[in-house]
Amino acid sequence: MPKNKGKGGKNRKRGKNEADDEKRELIFKEDGQEYAQVLRMLGNGRCEAMCIDGAKRLCHIRGKMHKKVWIAAGDIILIGLRDYQDDKADVILKYMPDEARLLKAYGELPETTRLNEGIAAGIDDDDEAGPDNYIEFEDEDIDRI
């Protein structure tokens, strides 16, 4: 059998936790960058995101974040726009939920942006009827059925 010459297996990589819970400085967008909300994950380090400027773009997760920062549908991200491809972009940063709320409070994100409510696409605002969405029958109606 060959002798192991490495520094260990996958458990060594798993043990590294970079303490992301600590407060970090809020990073605002610069020119060539845009805020976006993830619509769905596509696999292979890619996702589909709806940008604040109204365009839907295919985003590539950069190698520094790949398998280290988990991105899910509904997350607010900062993307770098490409000069040569308008429909593609690169994920630069994922905002934590409290940072996304701060961005909305500062007016960087529009008021219509829905935070931490899952997938942004396909959510209707007129479903606010709540638990009163049922039909009441009288006893006579049930007897006639």
Side-chain angles (χ1 to χ4, degrees):
M1 269 174 67
K3 190 162 177 126
N4 291 335
K5 294 184 178 164
K7 293 183 178 175
K10 64 180 178 181
N11 290 333
R12 180 184 64 87
K13 293 179 191 172
R14 189 178 297 157
K16 249 190 258 183
N17 191 1
E18 302 279 319
D20 287 333
D21 297 336
E22 63 195 35
K23 290 283 184 187
R24 62 181 183 192
E25 186 177 333
L26 189 60
I27 298 172
F28 294 105
K29 72 173 183 176
E30 299 171 4
D31 50 335
Q33 297 177 348
E34 192 63 61
Y35 300 114
Q37 187 166 28
V38 178
L39 295 177
R40 62 187 177 132
M41 296 302 295
L42 300 174
N44 201 20
R46 297 176 303 148
C47 63
E48 187 178 35
M50 178 60 76
C51 298
I52 300 303
D53 60 5
K56 191 182 287 189
R57 292 188 171 95
L58 180 72
C59 299
H60 177 263
I61 301 171
R62 59 185 289 202
K64 187 176 179 182
M65 298 175 65
H66 189 66
K67 291 194 175 181
K68 293 177 180 66
V69 178
W70 289 103
I71 296 177
D75 287 343
I76 303 295
I77 55 175
L78 179 66
I79 59 170
L81 303 175
R82 296 182 178 179
D83 297 334
Y84 50 93
Q85 290 174 315
D86 191 43
D87 59 335
K88 292 186 180 179
D90 302 298
V91 178
I92 297 173
L93 178 75
K94 175 195 166 189
Y95 289 106
M96 300 296 158
D98 57 331
E99 294 173 330
R101 283 190 291 274
L102 281 174
L103 282 175
K104 195 170 181 179
Y106 288 148
E108 292 286 319
L109 297 177
E111 292 297 319
T112 57
T113 305
R114 306 184 97 179
L115 302 178
N116 61 14
E117 294 182 21
I119 301 174
I123 297 176
D124 295 326
D125 290 338
D126 50 26
D127 289 340
E128 296 175 2
D132 297 331
N133 260 351
Y134 56 88
I135 301 171
E136 291 186 24
F137 289 102
E138 299 292 328
D139 290 335
E140 300 90 42
D141 296 335
I142 296 173
D143 292 336
R144 275 190 259 149
I145 296 178

